[in-house]
């Protein structure tokens, strides 16, 4: 995949809230393997990790704000600026998975969900482009204009269906929604409301392994960021 703004934006929206992120976490124990048809069992996987940012530049008309959730801007630039690609992994919650068949086995599927409270949320004023353009500008010396900062709720949910591709690799076809909601103190002392949302469809190849990669057929189905008050 080319290192383009579109590809990077797609990867950002899909960053690691889903099942494979928890399975691939450093030090994570091997996941349990329910038998096919064990549809009453819910598996809890602690220390699910990930971070998100939201704007309207991928599927919307653009806007005046960029919001970071699950990690602060400082966490982003610490890993992003050296190579203009990396994003932070921040432990924030317990992932819950309801499988139908052995996890990751071709022919099986699952539902997953995660929600975490009190994650860091920051909103910056910026009308020069999408979140990656903003990050590039900060790396190049832009002094970011903070609009509001505090804590909020970051959530995700979706489904995986597993198969094998022509190369013999395991593939998870994933439908995912994720979002953030927060009521933050603005820098001027006012109350700022934030709602970010993404709806997307993509594939994870070799899920839960060091060779894991993400493939897209196109942009997310929807991405939105609403900021009001202040």
């Amino acid at each position: 995949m080319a290192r383009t703004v579109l590809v990077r934006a797609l990867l950002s929206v899909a960053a690691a809230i889903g099942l494979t992120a928890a399975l691939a976490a450093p030090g994570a124990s091997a996941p349990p393997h329910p038998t096919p048809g064990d549809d009453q069992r819910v598996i809890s996987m602690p220390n699910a990790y990930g971070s998100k940012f939201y704007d309207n530049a991928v599927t919307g008309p653009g806007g005046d704000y960029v919001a970071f959730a699950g990690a602060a801007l400082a966490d982003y630039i610490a890993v992003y600026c050296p190579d203009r690609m990396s994003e932070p992994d921040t432990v924030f919650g317990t992932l819950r998975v309801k499988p139908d068949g052995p996890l990751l086995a071709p022919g099986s599927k699952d539902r997953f969900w995660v929600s975490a409270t009190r994650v860091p949320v920051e909103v910056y004023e910026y009308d020069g482009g999408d979140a990656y353009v903003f990050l590039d500008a900060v790396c190049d010396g832009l002094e970011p204009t903070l609009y509001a900062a505090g804590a909020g709720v970051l959530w995700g949910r979706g489904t995986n269906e597993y198969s094998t591709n022509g190369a013999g690799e395991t593939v998870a076809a994933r439908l995912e929604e994720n979002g953030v909601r927060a009521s933050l103190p603005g820098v001027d002392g006012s109350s700022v409301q934030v709602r970010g949302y993404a709806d997307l469809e993509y594939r994870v190849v070799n899920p839960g392994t060091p060779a894991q990669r993400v493939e897209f057929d196109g942009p997310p189905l929807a991405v939105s960021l609403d900021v009001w008050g202040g």
Side-chain angles (χ1 to χ4, degrees):
M1 296 173 70
R3 288 165 59 98
T4 64
V5 170
L6 174 60
V7 168
R8 292 186 300 172
L10 291 171
L11 290 172
S12 161
V13 180
I17 273 187
L19 169 62
T20 54
L23 298 182
S29 58
H33 288 266
T35 58
D38 183 8
D39 57 2
Q40 301 302 310
R41 184 177 183 183
V42 174
I43 300 168
S44 294
M45 298 179 179
N47 299 330
Y49 64 91
S51 53
K52 300 286 185 183
F53 54 72
Y54 300 87
D55 59 34
N56 280 325
V58 176
T59 59
D64 297 328
Y65 303 101
V66 176
F68 295 85
L73 175 60
D75 299 317
Y76 268 90
I77 63 176
V79 296
Y80 176 84
C81 290
D83 63 9
R84 306 298 173 105
M85 193 70 176
S86 300
E87 295 173 16
D89 292 324
T90 306
V91 172
F92 65 81
T94 296
L95 182 72
R96 290 179 170 81
V97 182
K98 188 171 185 179
D100 181 5
L103 284 178
L104 308 182
S108 65
K109 56 187 178 181
D110 59 59
R111 293 190 294 115
F112 65 87
W113 60 97
V114 62
S115 180
T117 60
R118 306 300 300 171
V119 302
V121 179
E122 295 181 346
V123 178
Y124 290 85
E125 292 186 272
Y126 187 69
D127 60 3
D130 67 17
Y132 275 112
V133 174
F134 172 73
L135 284 169
D136 284 338
V138 172
C139 293
D140 291 336
L142 173 73
E143 291 292 336
T145 303
L146 181 66
Y147 187 72
V153 175
L154 182 60
W155 60 271
R157 61 176 176 252
T159 61
N160 291 295
E161 293 190 7
Y162 301 98
S163 62
T164 303
N165 64 16
E169 300 170 303
T170 298
V171 178
R174 179 173 298 174
L175 298 174
E176 179 185 337
E177 294 178 288
N178 64 69
V180 62
R181 59 183 183 272
S183 180
L184 309 175
V187 294
D188 62 357
S190 61
S191 178
V192 175
Q193 307 302 310
V194 180
R195 296 292 184 273
Y197 174 77
D199 181 8
L200 58 158
E201 181 177 1
Y202 58 101
R203 295 180 299 276
V204 183
V205 183
N206 298 313
T209 74
Q212 175 177 302
R213 68 180 186 273
V214 177
E215 296 179 347
F216 295 88
D217 292 325
L221 303 175
V223 182
S224 64
L225 174 63
D226 295 314
V227 178
W228 70 96

